[in-house]
Amino acid sequence: MTNIDKLDSLERRVAALEEMLTHQALALDEVSEQLHLAEQAREMLAGKQKALLQRVQEVEDVSRDGGDTLQDARPPHY
């Protein structure tokens, strides 16, 4: 193998590595974006869960003050 053949082979290998690196960088950016969106969704759901738990606590507090408990209350379709 001549020096020119070795150089051509090396250039092809470097080009293949650069292409692979570019694809991996794009994939990493996509994963990062999806992780960011998932974190935003988790934060939104955590806020809604907190609000629901507060509402349930309010209803239970009202029930203790003489109202029907949630287990004793009839569903609205009755």
Side-chain angles (χ1 to χ4, degrees), residues 19-36:
E19 183 179 352
M20 191 183 319
L21 180 63
T22 300
H23 287 295
Q24 288 179 349
L26 290 173
L28 183 59
D29 287 344
E30 290 175 16
V31 168
S32 179
E33 178 64 23
Q34 290 300 316
L35 182 61
H36 175 71

Side-chain angles (χ1 to χ4, degrees), residues 11-69:
E11 285 177 356
R12 283 193 301 272
R13 289 176 61 197
V14 169
L17 288 171
E18 288 174 340
E19 183 179 352
M20 191 183 319
L21 180 63
T22 300
H23 287 295
Q24 288 179 349
L26 290 173
L28 183 59
D29 287 344
E30 290 175 16
V31 168
S32 179
E33 178 64 23
Q34 290 300 316
L35 182 61
H36 175 71
L37 293 174
E39 178 62 19
Q40 286 180 331
R42 188 200 63 78
E43 289 174 358
M44 181 191 65
L45 289 173
K48 287 183 176 185
Q49 179 188 25
K50 184 177 179 181
L52 285 171
L53 289 173
Q54 288 175 346
R55 180 67 180 126
V56 167
Q57 186 63 47
E58 291 170 3
V59 169
E60 287 177 349
D61 290 345
V62 168
S63 296
R64 284 190 204 112
D65 294 337
D68 290 337
T69 63

Side-chain angles (χ1 to χ4, degrees), residues 1-14:
M1 188 182 259
T2 67
N3 285 340
I4 292 175
D5 292 336
K6 289 180 183 178
L7 185 57
D8 287 342
S9 175
L10 186 57
E11 285 177 356
R12 283 193 301 272
R13 289 176 61 197
V14 169

